[in-house]
Amino acid sequence: MERDIGFWSAYVLALCMFMVGTTILVLGRKIYVDRPPSGTIVIDAFRVIGMMARHRNMDAPKPSRIAERGENKTVRWDDQFVDEVKRTLQACKVFMVYPVFWVCYCQFSTNFVSQALQMRGHGIPNDLMQNFDPIAIIVFIPILDYGVYPLLRKFHIRFKPISRIVFGFWVMALAMTYGAILQHKIYQAPPCFQHPLCDASIVDGKKQGNDIHIAIQAPAYVLIGTAEIFASATGYEYAYTKAPPRMKSFVQSLFLLTTAFGSALSEAFVPALFDPAIQWVYTGLAAGCFIAGCLVWLIFHKLNDQEDALNYIEGDVTSYQNTDSEAKVVETETDTKTK
């Protein structure tokens, strides 16, 4: 639309889609699970972690321990809150490896778009190819949920979260490998070979890229989307199911923090983003993501055996409500055995 009609039409389309989404949210607000605001949980959680780091003791932020140390300090949390933070950090340890995954994931909207420009578009805009990523997600999630996973359960094969995360890392490594091979193929194609978009590629006043069809890039985006299903979605699920209710937002903040680290790490590769060195960037990312997947398995595979035991079932233990930034304990009346 931007190419054939104008920028205004592309922005109007985006505006219309947001209006549809907003309308659905407003009309469906009564059927959503909407937890009430519970105070400055994220800020308090990071303060607790800061005290843990300073004292090198996971129990140091507990008010009872502060009193034992004779410190005249008032905090906005209780001992149980510190225990919940500890439990959440245990569940989020697997996040430490995720920045490597996000460095690779970012390629689909950056270097892969530039790579598509180095090939013959045949009327397809180079930035259109990245739509294969969400298409792959939309297609494969139902296949997995209604086909693959039930079949595995039928044969008593439990594809547990850590295994899914590792598989996601390895699929992402395969996507980067495909990108490296495709970049090599581009450098072998005329008319510009290792220097795509040279003057020899100009047709009707426009640079056309090397003689290789842009559609060959589609499998790379499909692999990235598949890796996202296994690694990203499962990472959210893993930590979310193990965090206490009021820690859910904190878990999300930690997970998003790994994307920030991944983006920052991507900056280290900027000096190497030129032809023909970029081929080795893809190769290095593939190797790094594969090794990261191996590390996840070596360090965390034992957690697969503790999967059910580690899950936090709301109602099993004391739940909380925050009023005016002060935690109030509310004992649940749920039968623990029933849960």
Side-chain angles (χ1 to χ4, degrees):
M1 292 175 67
E2 175 269 318
R3 181 192 62 190
D4 298 334
I5 303 175
F7 276 104
W8 70 269
S9 64
Y11 284 119
V12 168
L13 175 63
L15 173 63
C16 292
M17 295 305 296
F18 270 103
M19 290 176 64
V20 171
T22 303
T23 302
I24 293 173
L25 285 172
V26 172
L27 295 178
R29 65 187 183 280
K30 293 183 179 180
I31 63 173
Y32 301 141
V33 176
D34 191 10
R35 295 184 181 277
S38 55
T40 54
I41 294 298
V42 174
I43 296 175
D44 287 345
F46 277 112
R47 286 174 176 168
V48 166
I49 293 174
M51 291 185 65
M52 290 176 177
R54 287 197 302 272
H55 294 276
R56 298 182 180 180
N57 189 324
M58 298 289 282
D59 293 322
K62 290 183 176 181
S64 59
R65 292 297 182 90
I66 294 174
E68 289 177 3
R69 293 196 298 269
E71 297 181 15
N72 186 20
K73 184 176 183 178
T74 302
V75 294
R76 300 189 300 183
W77 55 81
D78 55 16
D79 287 4
Q80 188 64 33
F81 182 84
V82 177
D83 288 333
E84 289 186 3
V85 173
K86 289 166 58 179
R87 181 189 180 102
T88 302
L89 291 176
Q90 284 291 109
C92 293
K93 286 190 297 183
V94 69
F95 288 175
M96 293 186 297
V97 192
Y98 267 84
V100 178
F101 180 86
W102 295 125
V103 171
C104 299
Y105 177 77
C106 288
Q107 304 306 307
F108 96 99
S109 59
T110 54
N111 291 326
F112 273 31
V113 176
S114 301
Q115 185 186 67
L117 190 63
Q118 297 178 344
M119 297 182 281
R120 294 293 172 92
H122 298 280
I124 303 174
N126 66 305
D127 53 357
L128 187 68
M129 294 301 297
Q130 59 185 313
N131 287 317
F132 279 99
D133 173 80
I135 289 173
I137 293 173
I138 292 171
V139 170
F140 285 118
I141 282 182
I143 293 175
L144 290 170
D145 284 348
Y146 297 106
V148 176
Y149 292 151
L151 184 63
L152 291 176
R153 287 194 294 269
K154 183 178 180 180
F155 289 98
H156 305 288
I157 300 174
R158 296 192 66 185
F159 198 20
K160 295 185 178 180
I162 297 300
S163 300
R164 297 203 301 270
I165 291 172
V166 172
F167 185 73
F169 271 76
W170 288 347
V171 173
M172 181 62 77
L174 187 60
M176 295 301 104
T177 302
Y178 187 92
I181 294 172
L182 180 55
Q183 193 68 46
H184 177 70
K185 291 294 184 181
I186 292 172
Y187 290 151
Q188 289 184 326
C192 296
F193 299 97
Q194 289 192 344
H195 301 282
L197 304 176
C198 65
D199 293 339
S201 67
I202 297 176
V203 178
D204 296 330
K206 294 183 178 180
K207 295 181 178 180
Q208 301 296 317
N210 286 351
D211 190 14
I212 182 170
H213 202 293
I214 192 174
I216 199 174
Q217 195 185 43
Y221 285 108
V222 172
L223 288 170
I224 291 175
T226 304
E228 190 177 358
I229 293 173
F230 285 103
S232 177
T234 306
Y236 267 121
E237 172 196 341
Y238 185 79
Y240 199 81
T241 55
K242 289 159 184 59
R246 61 174 174 175
M247 290 287 115
K248 305 298 187 186
S249 58
F250 179 55
V251 167
Q252 184 172 0
S253 69
L254 289 179
F255 196 74
L256 292 176
L257 187 62
T258 66
T259 67
F261 282 124
S263 298
L265 190 59
S266 297
E267 296 298 315
F269 294 96
V270 170
L273 301 182
F274 62 89
D275 296 312
I278 193 171
Q279 174 183 338
W280 300 108
V281 172
Y282 291 129
T283 304
L285 290 174
C289 199
F290 179 79
I291 293 172
C294 294
L295 289 175
V296 171
W297 178 255
L298 290 174
I299 298 173
F300 302 110
H301 74 277
K302 292 182 180 179
L303 295 180
N304 273 336
D305 298 330
Q306 307 172 34
E307 171 62 18
D308 295 331
L310 290 175
N311 283 341
Y312 184 95
I313 301 176
E314 191 169 359
D316 270 358
V317 296
T318 305
S319 59
Y320 295 86
Q321 294 176 337
N322 274 8
T323 304
D324 297 329
S325 300
E326 293 181 356
K328 290 186 176 181
V329 179
V330 181
E331 296 293 343
T332 62
E333 299 178 354
T334 305
D335 184 350
T336 303
K337 291 183 179 180
T338 303
K339 285 292 184 179

